[in-house]
Structure formats: C-alpha cells, structure tokens
Amino acid sequence: MEETAAAPDRGHSIVYAPRIQDLLAREEKVFRIDATTVGVSRSDLISEVVAARPVLSTERSVYKPAAGAEIPHDSATRTIRALGQDVMEGIRTPPPPARGLNGAWPYAATSYLRQWLFASDPLPVSLLSKRGITRSPALSRIVDRAVTVWPEPGGAGRGRTALAEQIRSASDTQERGQAIAMYRRATATLCDGVAALTGNALWLMGPDGRARGAARADLTAVLWETLRLLPPAWMLYRTGGDAYAGLHPEIRREDNVALFPLLMHRHPDYWPEPMDFRPERWAGVPDPEKTPAYMPFGFDGARCWAKHLVVPLAERLLTVALDNRLAVRGPEQETHVPLRSLLSVRFNAESGA
C-alpha cells in the first residue's frame, strides 16, 4: 500500500509511491537497494562518486546516442542554443489562454508549455513533442518517418522554431535523424521538467491565499526551495565499475550507484528544519547551486543542459497560474507522487480567471 507523508508546513499531504516512501524512511545514507545497486545520499560520498569518472553518454538523458551514433559536441551545443532562443522568445510572447492549465497536472501544464513554445512548428514536426504520440512507439516511428521527408533541405519556411530549423537544415540522413531525436528529447525534457517543478511549487505553496501572496514576493526563492524538497530530478543513476570500487565498503566493483538528491536535500545533518517549506532560506543567497548538500540540477560535467532555462520558464508559468487564480483541487487535499523518472505531484486544477 502507498503511505502518506505530511507535506511541509501547509496542512495537506503527499502520497508517495511505495518505493519512494521506503527510500524516505531510511536513516542510513549509504544502503543497498538490491543485489547490484547501492543508494547514496551522503553529501561527501556523492561528491566522490561524481568526481570518480566522467559521465558516460548512455547515462545522459537528452544527449545519449541517436540514429546509431554519438551526438557530436557541436550538435549538442547548437541544440542548447536553439532551445534557449525558443524559450526566450516564448517567455517574451503572451501566454495561451489560461483555460489550457485546467485539468490533471502535470500533464495539463506540459501540453500548455508545448503549445506556448512550439505551436509555430508545422505538422508533422510539432507532433514530435505531443504526449499521445511519444507514448506510442508505433506512432513515434510513423511521425519520425514523416519528419524525415519534411521539409526538404533548403525549402522555405516561416515561423518555425530554431529547434525545428535544425531538422530542416540537416545535411544528411543521419544528421536529420539525430536532429529529430534531439527535438523530441529536448522539448519533452524541458516541458515535462518545468511542468513538474511548477506543479510541485503550486502544491507546496498551498491553497491559502495569504500564503500564496507572501510567496509571490520572491517566486525564484519558491522555486529553489521546491527544488530542495521535491526535486524533479530526484535520482541520478551511474553504471558501476572500477572507478567506484573502494569509495565505500558497501560499493563493490560490480555495483551500480544511485545518487539521491531527494534524500540529501531533506537530511537534518545538512538542513535546519529540513521538512519545512521555507523559501526565505534562499534570501540573499547569490548562487544557490553552490550551497552544500544541494544538487537541484545535477553536478559539474553532468549538470542539466537546460538549467538556465528551467527556473525562468517555471517562474513565468507560475506567474500565469497565480495571475489567473489557478486553484489546486484534490480529494481531502491529498496528492500522489508515482514512481517515475521525474518526481511530480499529481492534482487537478481549475483557473478562476
């Protein structure tokens, strides 16, 4: 059965998936998860694991191999720049009608963000990021094949995003295949991550109007505190090997290692009143990512490729939600956190505007 844990200081509760709840209940900071995996939430040991070797391409989410080949560094850099351009353009433009935020979160927010940022892309390119398409391998293959022949290299096109332009301007079949994969991965990772972060923040802020009013004074601090208590990237997985053997008696050469920011961010050894939602703890902190025992976007060498976009976009989306009096609905003020790659609360919402 799933267990309920009180949400920090807001009078409502979060129901975690059983395996997440089991992790949260552990007192030890180095523990065996199964026969081949060791979990780590100890800050100094996480740093040692991080420093032991570079991240493998297969351990990355967006830049893992695609179309049968590694993603070249210059291609990855172009993708980051293109996505940054598209996000900044989206932030500057009026958002879609707030009714698009109604419904089940984080899915409603993910669809809303995709419409906001990528609606200018013509079919079938825009289908690459649609949730209904990406959940079906068969539909994904059909869309990929359609995009492979659209648009023809050198063809005219107006209004498409910089990310879509990378598909059009690809010089050969492999480069185009990688550009398609990058479009799909980049848009999904960004929109899913921002939707999860914003939804987590809305839940932690609570339904009380006065509490929301106080939090609005510094939404950036709200998001940094949300990343501490409910980090979407709650676990980082590293394939085992010689580099980790000897770092700790529990870690053997054949063991994989799971790093848990979620647990580290909540431990009283590192944080005063760790279960309290206190955005004010970030007041006057010039660079939150340099805070000890805090890993909101990964670590050097494997830091989130879109970290410079996530917080500004989440702050913009959060502002839209608050401006339109988005009300969080839930049975008895409970919400669920399933076992997924992104840690995100589940709730229904309705705009009051």
Side-chain angles (χ1 to χ4, degrees):
M1 294 182 60
E2 293 180 332
E3 299 181 42
T4 302
D9 195 36
R10 285 294 179 264
H12 49 310
S13 59
I14 296 174
V15 181
Y16 294 97
R19 290 183 65 184
I20 299 177
Q21 184 62 38
D22 177 67
L23 291 169
L24 292 171
R26 291 180 177 270
E27 296 184 0
E28 64 270 37
K29 297 178 185 175
V30 184
F31 49 90
R32 182 158 293 279
I33 297 175
D34 56 39
T36 61
T37 309
V38 172
V40 178
S41 64
R42 203 178 81 191
S43 179
D44 61 332
L45 184 55
I46 286 179
S47 296
E48 291 180 20
V49 170
V50 166
R53 66 160 172 80
V55 176
L56 304 177
S57 62
T58 53
E59 294 170 339
R60 300 180 184 274
S61 58
V62 175
Y63 298 118
K64 60 187 176 184
E70 298 280 336
I71 300 293
H73 182 269
D74 59 342
S75 176
T77 300
R78 286 196 303 271
T79 298
I80 294 172
R81 290 174 179 169
L83 188 63
Q85 179 180 331
D86 294 336
V87 169
M88 292 300 105
E89 180 66 25
I91 288 176
R92 289 191 295 265
T93 59
R99 63 178 178 272
L101 293 174
N102 295 344
W105 275 58
Y107 305 122
T110 297
S111 298
Y112 185 88
L113 285 166
R114 287 170 174 167
Q115 179 186 357
W116 192 354
L117 300 177
F118 305 107
S120 64
D121 289 336
L123 289 172
V125 174
S126 62
L127 293 177
L128 289 171
S129 65
K130 300 298 184 183
R131 182 170 176 266
I133 300 294
T134 58
R135 294 183 68 187
S136 168
L139 286 176
S140 293
R141 287 193 294 270
I142 292 172
V143 170
D144 284 0
R145 284 197 295 268
V147 177
T148 298
V149 297
W150 181 99
E152 290 298 330
R158 307 180 75 177
R160 56 175 159 250
T161 62
L163 205 58
E165 178 62 23
Q166 293 204 123
I167 300 174
R168 190 200 66 81
S169 62
S171 61
D172 56 40
T173 301
Q174 179 170 292
E175 186 176 321
R176 177 166 288 214
Q178 290 193 328
I180 290 170
M182 296 288 273
Y183 184 103
R184 186 190 298 283
R185 295 174 188 174
T187 55
T189 302
L190 177 73
C191 294
D192 290 350
V194 170
L197 173 57
T198 306
N200 292 351
L202 282 169
W203 184 264
L204 288 172
M205 290 169 71
D208 184 85
R210 288 174 299 174
R212 284 193 171 197
R216 283 198 74 161
D218 191 350
L219 291 182
T220 304
V222 167
L223 293 170
W224 286 117
E225 181 70 346
T226 299
L227 285 163
R228 185 185 69 83
L229 276 171
L230 291 172
W234 61 286
M235 188 270 286
L236 303 171
Y237 193 79
R238 294 294 171 260
T239 304
D242 292 341
Y244 303 142
L247 294 181
H248 187 275
E250 187 68 40
I251 303 176
R252 304 168 305 192
R253 182 172 286 100
E254 63 270 22
D255 285 330
N256 301 313
V257 180
L259 310 177
F260 288 101
L262 174 66
L263 306 185
M264 182 174 66
H265 289 180
R266 292 164 171 253
H267 204 285
D269 283 0
Y270 308 128
W271 302 91
E273 301 178 14
M275 297 305 295
D276 287 352
F277 178 64
R278 294 173 48 197
E280 63 273 14
R281 76 172 78 232
W282 300 102
V285 178
D287 188 352
E289 289 189 86
K290 293 184 178 179
T291 303
Y294 189 52
M295 190 183 288
F297 293 113
F299 47 83
D300 290 341
R303 206 170 295 276
C304 174
W305 54 275
K307 74 182 188 70
H308 63 295
L309 305 175
V310 169
V311 173
L313 185 55
E315 184 172 348
R316 185 80 167 90
L317 181 60
L318 193 55
T319 299
V320 172
L322 296 175
D323 284 348
N324 289 276
R325 303 191 302 278
L326 190 76
V328 174
R329 311 293 188 192
E332 300 179 0
Q333 290 303 304
E334 280 188 353
T335 187
H336 290 72
V337 177
L339 186 65
R340 299 281 178 83
S341 58
L342 286 177
L343 188 78
S344 56
V345 297
R346 300 292 194 263
F347 59 83
N348 290 313
E350 183 178 352
S351 172

